[in-house]
């Protein structure tokens, strides 16, 4: 099942729209969750880029600073077809900062530079803030308002987005080839393993969306702690857990497949084993790769979700997401992108 075919939580999608009509219509700002130290051999840069690839910016920053590319770090890859504000670190041992304002690309601006004690590492984000404008919007505006209210109150299914699976889903075919013996480099291997796990996870979540229990408790549930990568359970579902679930402090989870059995039990374990059996080649490949079982929240709560009709056919959305979540996963509940 491709990402476009995954079931939605609130019935038929009420709108069609155009996304990324211009880069300014898709704005992303990283949320690191901490400030620069003010001292150290790394320059922590806040960079605004328009229509530029993160890896390319990192290489050009290294060239401009006169350091090897390995000296540049960043926390996450950001969309090229967007305006993004993200952090980069540049290690400058024993050296002063160059004049960052002279960085020679109009589409990339270094907004601030502060000294910091360590290199930015991939995944070192609290989350991302989005401002997205949908253009050429058509459809049932009244139903769209109702869906937006439901999304604000209950969240959305936390699917992995299309980016995880590559162009036309090609990462899965490559993962199968790798599991069959094709050799790939380490970075590519990690990407393909993630795609295989994501396919099984999305399929489990799709089943629970179809059953209407993606944001409620089943027997044998494993719970994710909001704002962390920690999880616990299973344990009897009681009033305390029910309260924490209602408040968004915990979320039901699905499997990131690996060797051995998942931590879930009862009805959840039965569902997960049944769905994984439908992707047996991927499950077997992940087991052979000695991947450890992990968990991911089934529910995604877009923080501060707000919307504003800029015109009859232009809708602006604002929200924050935790690291690892996809803005397109939020949008797909509301609009089919043409």
């Amino acid at each position: 099942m491709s990402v476009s075919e995954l079931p939605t939580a609130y019935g038929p999608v009420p709108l069609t729209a155009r996304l990324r009509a211009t880069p300014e219509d898709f704005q992303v700002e990283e949320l690191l969750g901490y400030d620069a130290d003010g001292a150290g051999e790394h320059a922590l840069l806040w960079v605004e880029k328009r229509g530029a690839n993160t890896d390319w910016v990192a290489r050009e920053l290294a060239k401009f600073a006169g350091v090897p590319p390995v000296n540049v770090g960043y926390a996450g890859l950001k969309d090229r077809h967007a305006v993004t504000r993200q952090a980069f670190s540049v290690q400058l041992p024993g050296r002063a900062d160059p004049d960052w304002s002279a960085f020679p690309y109009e589409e990339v601006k270094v907004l601030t530079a502060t000294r910091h004690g360590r290199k930015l590492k991939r995944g070192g984000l609290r989350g991302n803030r989005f401002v997205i404008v949908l253009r050429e919007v058509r459809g049932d505006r009244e139903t769209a308002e109702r869906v937006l209210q439901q999304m604000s109150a209950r969240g959305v299914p936390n699917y992995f987005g299309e980016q995880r699976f590559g162009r036309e889903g090609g990462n899965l075919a490559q993962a199968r080839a790798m599991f069959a013996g094709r050799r790939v480099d380490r970075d590519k291997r990690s990407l393909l393993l993630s795609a295989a796990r994501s396919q099984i996870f999305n399929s489990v979540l799709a089943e629970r969306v179809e059953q209407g229990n993606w944001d409620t408790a089943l027997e044998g549930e494993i719970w994710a702690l909001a704002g962390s990568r920690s999880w616990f359970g299973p344990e009897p579902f009681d009033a305390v857990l029910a309260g924490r679930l209602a408040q968004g402090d915990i979320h039901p989870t699905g499997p990131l497949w690996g060797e051995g059995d998942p931590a879930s039990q009862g009805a959840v374990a039965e569902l997960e084993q049944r769905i994984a059996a439908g992707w047996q080649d991927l499950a077997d490949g992940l087991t052979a790769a000695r991947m450890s079982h992990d968990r991911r929240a089934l529910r995604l709560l877009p923080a501060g979700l707000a919307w504003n009709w800029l015109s009859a056919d232009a809708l602006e959305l604002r929200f924050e997401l935790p690291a690892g979540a996809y803005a397109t996963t939020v949008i797909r509940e509301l609009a089919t992108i043409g």
Side-chain angles (χ1 to χ4, degrees), residues 1-8 159 162 199 206 210 279 332:
M1 183 183 297
S2 69
V3 173
S4 63
E5 297 171 321
L6 295 169
T8 54
Y159 292 120
E162 292 179 352
Q199 184 65 44
E210 293 278 19
W279 302 98
R332 72 183 303 275

Side-chain angles (χ1 to χ4, degrees), residues 197 204 208 218-224 229-236 252-273 276 291-296:
R197 296 178 109 185
V204 169
R208 293 192 59 165
L218 293 181
E219 178 199 2
E221 199 76 70
I222 302 295
W223 300 99
R229 297 180 180 177
S230 300
W231 44 271
F232 67 94
E235 57 186 69
T253 65
L256 298 176
W257 208 262
E259 59 181 338
D261 293 327
S264 56
Q265 297 178 6
V268 175
E270 185 279 327
L271 184 151
E272 292 175 356
Q273 294 282 5
M291 297 294 289
S292 298
H293 268 287
D294 205 350
R295 307 293 295 185
R296 174 180 169 91

Side-chain angles (χ1 to χ4, degrees), residues 132-245:
I132 296 170
V133 178
L134 302 179
R135 305 282 182 185
E136 302 174 22
V137 179
R138 300 288 184 271
D140 186 342
R141 184 162 165 171
E142 182 178 345
T143 299
E145 289 283 345
R146 185 168 66 250
V147 169
L148 283 162
Q149 293 286 355
Q150 291 176 300
M151 290 164 59
S152 180
R154 290 180 56 190
V156 300
N158 191 24
Y159 292 120
F160 285 100
E162 292 179 352
Q163 303 95 308
R164 180 56 65 99
F165 302 100
R167 187 183 299 274
E168 297 180 353
N171 287 352
L172 286 180
Q174 293 183 58
R176 289 185 166 100
M178 180 180 69
F179 294 152
R182 178 184 295 174
R183 299 188 65 177
V184 299
D185 63 40
R186 186 165 67 175
D187 287 346
K188 186 69 170 179
R189 178 179 184 273
S190 177
L191 180 72
L192 301 182
L193 290 171
S194 293
R197 296 178 109 185
S198 300
Q199 184 65 44
I200 296 174
F201 175 89
N202 274 5
S203 298
V204 169
L205 177 51
E207 176 77 6
R208 293 192 59 165
V209 172
E210 293 278 19
Q211 293 180 4
N213 55 38
W214 59 278
D215 61 345
T216 59
L218 293 181
E219 178 199 2
E221 199 76 70
I222 302 295
W223 300 99
L225 290 168
S228 80
R229 297 180 180 177
S230 300
W231 44 271
F232 67 94
E235 57 186 69
F237 189 65
D238 57 16
V240 173
L241 288 180
R244 295 179 68 186
L245 176 63

Side-chain angles (χ1 to χ4, degrees), residues 324-337:
Y326 294 80
T328 51
T329 294
V330 177
I331 295 168
R332 72 183 303 275
E333 292 289 327
L334 180 68
T336 299
I337 302 303

